[in-house]
Amino acid sequence: MVVENPAAATVRASSSSPAAAPGGDPLPSWREGAAKRAVLDFVERVAAEAVPPEDRVAVFDNDGTLWCEKPMPIQLDFILRRLVAMCEKVPALRTRQPWQAAYTRDYDWLNEVITKHYRGDDSEVAVLASGMLTAFAGVTVEEFEAQADRFLRTTEHPTLARPYTACAYAPMVELLGVLEANGFANYIASGGGRDFMRPISQEMYGIPRERVIGSSVSLAWKDSTVVHTAELDFLDDGPEKPVRIWSRVGRRPLLAVGNTNGDIPMLRFTERDGVPSLRMLVLHDDPDREFDYETGCEQALEAADAEGWAVVSMKDDWSTVFEAR
């Protein structure tokens, strides 16, 4: 069973956040096996060794770890629609990348940029980034959040026939609930945009907006408000992830979960002598219920094998992928 924080025996997940099934299996969407056992053993060890509540920090990548990232990252869909709208107003943009790819729906070009990035080749990332940064330059932070919130709540996933807000992985939501019920502070540490995830992080994951760490554009004060600029502040991926986690939290996490090569530094950041820790990698190997791919996680899988990380097979370890609608 999952043992609660002995220093705060009444800790429970709040009514506004995901919670473990009361009096039953705390991870009902997880099949019995090594991955589930690793989670429960870790939580029990944290309690048995009386790890202080302030040290109970868990970090999660978002795209491909907490919600679906195929056939393209959800935020990329949001940005591409903005680029298309720009092409409608300025036809000359239709012959320039990345506007051309957005307008002609050349998803192969877009996916290749992302694939190359995960392989360490960022030769075309700057081209894509230029469009992404320009897309919302001058937009206030409030208007950007309103647009992101509206998009996520009203747009359907292109192949899964469910709104984007229903594309969270049910087993991961359960894991977040179990951790919270046992005194953990859960954080998102994603390569995705911080301000794109914030509107729905509490509702979907039980993670308050102030615990969302993600990529960010530079912001500026203008006309009595804060606006987006066309400059990147930082890309929260690879070595930047542990830097941003430390900058925000000031502690090494005990648990980290990711799914790509860009998550390797974050997972390694959990390593500490004499303290329970858990590193997990979500493997997308279920073409019937989600997607089947290893592109972009080859190095992470090698690291998992060499360093003893827990690999979560979507096909074998999860009885349910998405909540029923």
Side-chain angles (χ1 to χ4, degrees):
M1 63 177 291
V2 176
V3 181
E4 293 180 341
N5 175 5
T10 59
V11 170
R12 294 290 191 278
S14 68
S15 60
S16 61
S17 63
D25 186 347
L27 297 171
S29 294
W30 293 64
R31 295 191 177 107
E32 297 301 325
K36 182 174 183 176
R37 191 70 255 161
V39 171
L40 299 180
D41 286 350
F42 164 72
V43 176
E44 289 179 354
R45 286 177 55 211
V46 167
E49 297 181 25
V51 176
E54 60 269 22
D55 285 336
R56 300 188 185 193
V57 173
V59 293
F60 294 78
D61 173 56
N62 188 44
D63 295 311
T65 299
L66 292 180
W67 71 7
C68 187
E69 67 175 354
K70 294 294 183 179
M72 73 178 78
I74 293 173
Q75 186 174 4
L76 182 56
D77 186 13
F78 174 64
I79 294 170
L80 292 181
R81 293 168 190 251
R82 175 79 170 188
L83 297 180
V84 170
M86 293 173 72
C87 288
E88 297 292 350
K89 292 183 178 181
V90 184
L93 291 174
R94 301 174 190 177
T95 59
R96 291 174 51 191
Q97 294 290 21
W99 291 271
Q100 182 181 33
Y103 192 74
T104 63
R105 296 179 174 84
D106 184 2
Y107 301 132
D108 289 339
W109 183 86
L110 294 161
N111 281 320
E112 185 63 19
V113 173
I114 297 171
T115 298
K116 285 182 177 180
H117 166 69
Y118 283 133
R119 291 174 177 167
D121 178 0
D122 284 341
S123 58
E124 292 183 286
V125 166
V127 177
L128 178 59
S130 66
M132 296 171 67
L133 291 169
T134 304
F136 294 97
V139 174
T140 70
V141 289
E142 293 89 354
E143 177 56 27
F144 179 87
E145 178 161 322
Q147 290 183 30
D149 185 70
R150 185 164 55 249
F151 168 81
L152 289 167
R153 296 179 189 280
T154 61
T155 309
E156 191 170 88
H157 186 280
T159 64
L160 295 176
R162 57 177 53 233
Y164 277 137
T165 50
C167 287
Y169 301 130
M172 297 304 291
V173 173
E174 292 171 1
L175 173 56
L176 290 166
V178 167
L179 292 171
E180 183 183 353
N182 285 273
F184 276 81
N186 297 321
Y187 287 79
I188 293 175
S190 174
R194 175 197 63 202
D195 294 336
F196 181 74
M197 296 177 285
R198 277 178 169 173
I200 47 78
S201 65
Q202 178 70 56
E203 179 180 331
M204 290 185 68
Y205 307 130
I207 296 177
R209 58 189 294 125
E210 60 269 21
R211 292 188 193 159
V212 177
I213 306 169
S215 299
S216 175
V217 300
S218 293
L219 304 173
W221 177 253
K222 182 179 179 181
D223 298 331
S224 299
T225 189
V226 176
V227 301
H228 287 237
T229 73
E231 296 181 3
L232 181 67
D233 186 9
F234 59 87
L235 177 63
D236 189 39
D237 195 36
E240 195 70 24
K241 284 199 172 188
V243 171
R244 292 297 158 186
I245 291 168
W246 181 263
S247 297
R248 179 69 65 83
V249 186
R251 299 180 187 276
R252 283 181 180 254
L254 299 185
L255 178 149
V257 190
N259 75 302
T260 69
N261 300 334
D263 295 318
I264 294 174
M266 178 180 74
L267 271 68
R268 286 179 172 157
F269 192 46
T270 66
E271 297 174 4
R272 274 194 293 173
D273 293 334
V275 180
S277 63
L278 179 62
R279 294 165 289 282
M280 303 191 77
L281 197 68
V282 177
L283 177 61
H284 296 264
D285 58 354
D286 194 334
D288 295 326
R289 297 183 298 176
E290 204 241 12
F291 297 94
D292 184 3
Y293 61 96
E294 292 187 7
T295 301
C297 67
E298 302 91 344
Q299 297 170 26
L301 288 170
E302 292 176 2
D305 184 58
E307 301 176 32
W309 302 349
V311 176
V312 181
S313 165
M314 190 173 288
K315 180 179 179 181
D316 297 332
D317 290 317
W318 291 353
S319 60
T320 300
V321 175
F322 302 106
E323 288 187 0
R325 295 183 59 234

